[in-house]
Amino acid sequence: MTIENSPSAPARVNLLGLSRAKLEDWFVSIGEKKFRAAQVMKWVHQLGVDNFDEMSNISKALRDKLKQVAEVRGPEVVYREFSADGTRKWVFKVGDNSMVETVLIPDGERKTLCVSSQVGCALDCSFCSTGKQGFQRDLSAAEIIGQVWVANRSYFEDVPDYDSRERALTNVVMMGMGEPLLNFDNVVPAMDIMLDDFAYGLSKRRVTLSTSGVVPMMDRLTQTIDVALAVSLHAPNNTLRDELVPINRKYPLEELMAACRRYLHYYQGDFGRRKITMEYVMLDGVNDQPEHARQLIRLLKDVPSKINLIPFNPFPHAPYDRSPRSQILAFQKMLVEAGYICTIRATRGDDIDAACGQLVGQVQDRTRRSEKWRESVARSGEILRSPQ
Ligand code: SAH
Ligand code: SF4
């Protein structure tokens, strides 16, 4: 059981990251009834409550006991930005020098939250700014679900009346920083809570795990939890994919496609409708040519898929450019004519840099700049106004 302790003694159990099964076990372990888990989960996840005193259907005696031994502690927000188009972003501090980001992208009725699973990433894809940061550490289940909790809760700020609070998020994609399948033991309980009717109650079609292709863990995922799968394909042949997504050298396309087929086969009773989302970043002159579209069509012919073209999001010193719009549209046309569902990801939120690891980079730069400024002020003994 992943239990986070507060630095103050006595250590309290952070209930935020516990799935219902684990929370039930925990209540039993403190001599209470199992059903308390569902009650507390509703307060915490559906109503955004972190104060036991507000949990009015729980006796005063139990609330006092909970205050002694437990807490509900979300990750520390160090930066947040709500833009006019409805996009919301957060940067969380998770440990001394570590930050992760979470982005909420609205689209009509849909509100999709893009959640991080690790600080940095070890897989070093050549077009990814998170990869360039290297791997620092896994997030705990509480830090992962904590991103969902904070985002959902942000919609309750102007709704003091609990009865009027409605679930805000409709979709979660594990497409923030990190490779979720390399943090399996924390990602699975967090996704469990996303699906739980006593928590976020999201449908399994609306929780998507995105992987760069950690083949053995894809099989483990299939056996463990039923969620939608997205694969970061990005190249239609091994030579190019070896370069863009280095984990391809370990698990080449033949193995990746076989793992995709196993996932689809496992759910074949699913009205035959399940598809894998293939993500394909559009890099100018690298993977966006007609020959690449033709190879992709051949590669995916027996793997029911929908293809999501992602215009490359440039970052400082990135070795690529975004494909021109006309090139992306021509690529899409070839796939659509071959019978595929092929969408182009909207690049909305660009104004505040909604892309994989980039916001953290900016906030870190800003923090460093203001730290340097504070240090220089302290050294010179001058009294100055803030550089903002
Ligand atoms: N590690 C997982 C999930 C996080 S990355 C994975 O790779 O699937 C989420 C998506 O953003 C992936 O498809 C990734 O390839 C894509 N991505 C990363 N950097 C990008 C960039 N600079 N521009 C556009 N998409 C990017
Ligand atoms: Fe890691 Fe995904 Fe970025 Fe690749 S694209 S470096 S797997 S976060």
Side-chain angles (χ1 to χ4, degrees), residues 124-342:
D124 200 21
C125 300
S126 58
F127 53 86
C128 173
S129 83
T130 303
K132 298 294 146 221
Q133 295 166 32
F135 172 72
Q136 290 184 44
R137 74 165 172 89
D138 285 332
L139 295 183
S140 68
E143 288 165 340
I144 297 168
I145 201 66
Q147 299 167 58
V148 181
W149 184 73
V150 167
N152 202 47
R153 213 175 177 227
S154 71
Y155 287 93
F156 298 156
E157 282 169 11
D158 304 321
V159 191
D161 172 13
Y162 294 139
D163 293 336
S164 310
R165 291 184 176 182
E166 283 174 27
R167 197 175 70 203
L169 307 180
T170 61
N171 296 60
V172 173
V173 290
M174 298 300 304
M175 290 186 190
M177 301 170 75
E179 169 50 55
L181 288 185
L182 292 181
N183 185 15
F184 194 86
D185 292 344
N186 291 309
V187 165
V188 167
M191 291 196 305
D192 242 348
I193 300 172
M194 294 171 203
L195 300 175
D196 196 310
D197 284 340
F198 291 102
Y200 301 93
L202 297 175
S203 106
K204 57 192 181 185
R205 298 287 164 279
R206 288 164 177 257
V207 174
T208 303
L209 182 139
S210 172
T211 180
S212 54
V214 190
V215 165
M217 300 309 287
M218 288 169 70
D219 290 323
R220 213 176 137 201
L221 181 78
T222 311
Q223 306 292 329
T224 310
I225 189 166
D226 183 2
V227 289
L229 185 64
V231 168
S232 291
L233 196 58
H234 306 314
N237 63 63
N238 280 322
T239 313
L240 187 53
R241 198 163 190 271
D242 281 353
E243 183 190 318
L244 302 181
V245 186
I247 198 175
N248 194 68
R249 297 174 204 157
K250 196 160 177 191
Y251 306 114
L253 280 170
E254 299 70 35
E255 287 184 36
L256 179 58
M257 290 301 116
C260 290
R261 280 191 290 268
R262 288 195 292 278
Y263 168 88
L264 291 164
H265 181 75
Y266 192 90
Y267 294 113
Q268 64 181 357
D270 208 7
F271 313 108
R273 280 206 300 253
R274 188 167 303 213
K275 289 186 165 61
I276 294 177
T277 302
M278 298 291 174
E279 294 159 272
Y280 197 98
V281 66
M282 296 301 282
L283 306 170
D284 188 19
V286 175
N287 64 352
D288 63 349
Q289 301 299 302
E291 74 199 69
H292 298 122
R294 279 191 289 273
Q295 289 173 5
L296 194 56
I297 290 164
R298 274 199 301 279
L299 182 72
L300 298 178
K301 72 178 186 317
D302 57 352
V303 183
S305 326
K306 34 188 188 190
I307 300 142
N308 192 212
L309 303 178
I310 315 175
F312 171 63
N313 262 301
F315 52 91
H317 312 297
Y320 305 106
D321 294 314
R322 178 184 290 178
S323 306
R325 189 78 190 161
S326 57
Q327 192 71 23
I328 300 178
L329 289 171
F331 200 90
Q332 180 191 36
K333 188 162 177 275
M334 287 182 72
L335 290 161
V336 169
E337 281 173 357
Y340 289 97
I341 298 171
C342 178

